[in-house]
Amino acid sequence: MKALCILGSTGSIGVSTLDVVRRFPDRFRVRSLVAHRNVEKLVEQVREFQPARVGLVDDAKLPELKAALKGYKGEILGGAQSAIALAEEPESGYVVSAIVGAAGLLPTLAALKKGKEVGIANKEPLVMCGPLMRKAADEFGATILPIDSEHCAVFQSARAGAAKELRKIVLTASGGPFRKTPAEKLKTATKADALKHPTWNMGAKITIDSATLMNKALEIIEAHFLFDLPYEGIHVWVHPQSIVHALVEFTDGSVVAQLGLPDMRLPIQYALTYPERLDGGLPVLPIERMKELTFEEPDHERFPSLQFAYRAGKAGGTAPAVLNAANEEAVSLFLQEKVPFVRIFDLVREALDKHSVQPMDSLETVLAADRWARDFVRHQVD
Ligand SMILES: NC(=O)c1ccc[n+]([C@@H]2O[C@H](COP(=O)([O-])OP(=O)(O)OC[C@H]3O[C@@H](n4cnc5c(N)ncnc54)[C@H](OP(=O)(O)O)[C@@H]3O)[C@@H](O)[C@H]2O)c1
């Protein structure tokens, strides 16, 4: 029986993770749940899964949570520290990292430093400081299992050969809601337009990242750190049906791919049950859908995000952390309707132009770069 800590349990990935847990009552037990401020959802989850400990990062909401959970026998913790405490406690051997953005870095790192199995959906910390996370995993004997569908697909496909036989990978992108939108119309794209994802149902930040292709940009860097591949070997194709999640090419020229419906419960289940494959009763890809599969080159003119990723990734050091933080801030401003959609690209580009890259020698350096980029972006807009 695996005892799970679910960081970000109230989000899209957290909810899907709990649905997988529900399908395997003999395999998984929920030890702890962590949310930011969605008390209503968290209470519902606590009632159903009866975790021993619960964390709510936003302290201001703690009285509301305590009142709603009157009679609950477990322990309720508050503040950012609660996520770290629950991620690192020895009673959970498996941590699902599903907080959105840089906020997931410290708890995820804490879990790695305790040598746990860590299923990572929260890609932003890997982008910020993949080498530090990999080093922590190696040093403390932790296992990183990718949940991001494309990386889970690479992970699964790569099992067909040895790591040194992997030559190239292709991550697929749906293309987002603006795949066919002319550049001129992108200038007036609204928040509602950008939140209409054609194939995936996800949280707001990643949905905007899909509309800018920044999600794929972050995934290029995530893949570089997860699979030790040079940037020249990491490619992106637009595949609007979101059925083929990634392809890997081996040294002999063989290409192996993983296919499935666009349903995050499948990669989550694989990351939880790895190295086994179990029947969780999830919907299966109807084979006739193979007739509709198409692939296109990404349009780098309308969507410069992929080029930002190659640029920041190759620059190395603190550049990916700046890319990530500038994007998080720009997306947040777009979601508050303070900047137009296309300004997200400008703000990220300007932050990369202005940043003087430092070697990634410590967590403090990464956090300082993250802060710098956020201040920079806010300052451009104020
Ligand atoms: N959704 C997908 O299909 C998908 C696919 C691949 C990868 N991912 C990655 O998985 C991560 C989560 O995505 P999502 O779509 O599930 O996001 P989401 O629906 O917005 O959920 C985010 C979760 O993180 C919590 N959270 C937000 N800010 C926090 C903070 N400062 N401290 C602690 N917890 C915080 C939220 O709590 P409250 O609900 O209480 O605010 C919520 O539980 C992202 O990194 C995303 O890129 C998602």
Side-chain angles (χ1 to χ4, degrees), residues 7-16 34-39 41-42 45 56-58 80 83 97-104 107 120-125 147-150 200-207 209 215 218-219 222 263-264 268:
L7 302 170
S9 67
T10 48
S12 162
I13 292 288
V15 167
S16 296
V34 176
H36 186 211
R37 54 165 74 111
N38 187 345
V39 170
K41 188 78 180 167
L42 186 60
Q45 295 178 339
L56 191 68
V57 167
D58 184 352
S97 166
I99 288 173
V100 60
I120 299 190
N122 181 202
K123 64 195 84 181
E124 293 89 346
I147 287 181
D148 214 352
S149 55
E150 297 76 3
W200 294 98
N201 185 9
M202 311 178 285
K205 193 258 177 186
I206 184 173
T207 305
D209 284 348
N215 182 45
L218 300 176
E219 289 179 5
E222 180 186 11
D263 181 339
M264 283 308 294
I268 292 168

Side-chain angles (χ1 to χ4, degrees), residues 63-174:
E64 189 183 329
L65 178 68
K66 286 185 175 164
L69 285 179
K70 212 156 177 265
Y72 164 62
K73 300 270 185 297
E75 189 186 355
I76 301 173
L77 288 78
Q81 193 56 37
S82 69
I84 298 173
L86 296 182
E88 67 185 5
E89 65 163 1
E91 287 81 359
S92 59
Y94 195 113
V95 174
V96 176
S97 166
I99 288 173
V100 60
L105 170 59
L106 297 181
T108 307
L109 200 55
L112 293 172
K113 288 186 174 174
K114 293 293 174 187
K116 299 190 181 195
E117 282 186 286
V118 185
I120 299 190
N122 181 202
K123 64 195 84 181
E124 293 89 346
L126 276 169
V127 171
M128 292 167 75
C129 58
L132 296 184
M133 293 177 71
R134 289 285 305 271
K135 186 165 172 273
D138 291 347
E139 205 171 317
F140 296 93
T143 308
I144 294 178
L145 294 147
I147 287 181
D148 214 352
S149 55
E150 297 76 3
H151 302 75
C152 181
V154 171
F155 185 63
Q156 293 185 49
S157 306
R159 289 182 74 193
K164 64 174 180 0
E165 293 162 355
L166 195 60
R167 186 157 67 185
K168 168 175 162 183
I169 63 179
V170 178
L171 307 172
T172 58
S174 70

